[in-house]
Amino acid sequence: MEAVEQVNNTRVSKQIAPQMSIGSWIITFILLAIPLVNLIMLFIWAFDALSERRNFARAYLIILGIVLVLWILIVILMLILGASSGLFSNFVHLF
């Protein structure tokens, strides 16, 4: 019984991050639609300890990295398949 009273008597302070307004999210998505600016802003937000967009930017960068790796693998696969099918055999005679 004493343990329950001690838990009830202690105050747990939780820090709650301030929520972003709808306008802030609209500005965020507009900035992410601009080429090169989006990458710069994502890295700024991802590594800023006080940014409200920190977790969003990190998740976005992880997804971008996965998509980039998949895209590179698909391009390599297409080049291998194209080379093995004889698609590039006509270009060999040019050199």
Side-chain angles (χ1 to χ4, degrees):
M1 192 69 171
E2 291 178 21
V4 174
E5 289 177 12
Q6 287 177 352
V7 171
N8 289 337
N9 289 336
T10 58
R11 293 185 181 182
V12 179
S13 62
K14 293 182 180 179
Q15 292 182 342
I16 299 173
Q19 290 186 338
M20 290 179 43
S21 66
I22 294 175
S24 295
W25 279 113
I26 291 172
I27 291 171
T28 299
F29 289 126
I30 290 172
L31 287 174
L32 291 178
I34 303 170
L36 293 180
V37 173
N38 59 1
L39 289 176
I40 294 168
M41 294 307 297
L42 282 172
F43 280 106
I44 290 172
W45 292 330
F47 296 110
D48 183 15
L50 301 176
S51 177
E52 299 167 348
R53 301 170 181 95
R54 183 178 184 185
N55 288 334
F56 173 77
R58 287 181 175 183
Y60 203 97
L61 286 171
I62 290 169
I63 296 296
L64 282 178
I66 292 170
V67 168
L68 179 65
V69 168
L70 289 175
W71 182 80
I72 290 171
L73 290 174
I74 289 171
V75 167
I76 291 171
L77 179 67
M78 290 297 141
L79 287 173
I80 291 170
L81 290 174
S84 67
S85 69
L87 182 66
F88 298 117
S89 63
N90 292 337
F91 296 114
V92 174
H93 301 295
L94 296 176
F95 297 107

